[in-house]
Amino acid sequence: MSPALPNEVKQLIDRQQITDVIYRYCRGIDRCQFELVRSCYHPDAIDLHGAYQGGVDGFIDYVTHQLATYEMTQHMIGNMLIELDGDTARVESYVQSIHRIPPSAKHRQARDFWVGLRYVDDFERRAGDWRIAKRVCVLDWTRTDPVPDGGWKFTDVDVIGRRDHTDPVFHPIT
């Protein structure tokens, strides 16, 4: 049996495990890996996410439909404050998310929809596993920018991000 870890070391491990959940959530959303998103929540968790307010299964259905309207998304985590209290934690994560909207009959050129927001999460450790028990998505600002037609174009040799299991992150680098 290994000796007990000092409390400071336990807290560092807890913080890293919580941080990993937030990062896994972002990967799951941006790569449309919905079982990965689901793994970030306790089964009875609640997500108050804009127009959606309810449980995890409903949230997965909601976000699956929402993400289908975008060519690509990218969620970037900035400041993250983790306030530990035993087997619970309040976590505030600053987020900038970018959503590429394809051209349509109404809008002839692609647009980038930016959202500045914060995830305010109540985490719980159950059976040694940190997950989100309740999330409030706090919207701080938005902005929409047209994507110029003459902008940078990817070439045949560029590695292009994908929103599914074919993305390079899921395959060995050769």
Side-chain angles (χ1 to χ4, degrees), residues 14-39:
D14 290 342
R15 289 176 194 282
Q16 187 58 56
Q17 290 174 344
I18 289 168
T19 299
D20 287 349
V21 170
I22 299 290
Y23 290 164
R24 277 197 331 265
Y25 171 86
C26 292
R27 174 186 278 180
I29 290 293
D30 292 335
R31 303 279 71 80
C32 295
Q33 301 287 307
F34 300 114
E35 287 308 309
L36 185 59
V37 173
R38 185 185 310 279
S39 76

Side-chain angles (χ1 to χ4, degrees), residues 55-73:
V56 177
D57 291 335
F59 176 69
I60 298 295
D61 291 342
Y62 169 77
V63 77
T64 299
H65 174 73
Q66 290 297 111
L67 289 171
T69 64
Y70 304 115
E71 287 180 5
M72 189 66 81
T73 61

Side-chain angles (χ1 to χ4, degrees), residues 66-170:
Q66 290 297 111
L67 289 171
T69 64
Y70 304 115
E71 287 180 5
M72 189 66 81
T73 61
Q74 191 173 75
H75 289 68
M76 296 172 283
I77 300 295
N79 303 345
M80 188 184 312
L81 181 61
I82 301 170
E83 299 169 314
L84 294 167
D85 186 12
D87 288 335
T88 65
R90 170 58 60 98
V91 181
E92 180 186 35
S93 305
Y94 282 68
V95 183
Q96 286 189 13
S97 63
I98 307 166
H99 310 72
R100 175 59 56 91
I101 304 170
S104 66
K106 184 178 178 181
H107 298 281
R108 291 187 180 179
Q109 66 186 139
R111 293 164 291 141
D112 287 332
F113 173 54
W114 293 68
V115 183
L117 62 128
R118 290 172 289 130
Y119 297 139
V120 178
D121 297 321
D122 286 336
F123 269 76
E124 293 179 4
R125 177 175 32 210
R126 300 180 191 171
D129 192 20
W130 284 104
R131 293 187 190 193
I132 300 165
K134 187 169 186 179
R135 166 169 282 175
V136 177
C137 183
V138 181
L139 303 173
D140 290 325
W141 57 268
T142 66
R143 149 183 165 176
T144 304
D145 297 326
V147 176
D149 290 334
W152 175 267
K153 302 289 185 205
F154 296 128
T155 69
D156 292 341
V157 297
D158 292 320
V159 178
I160 310 296
R162 303 287 181 220
R163 295 180 75 193
D164 59 22
H165 68 279
T166 64
D167 188 84
V169 74
F170 300 111

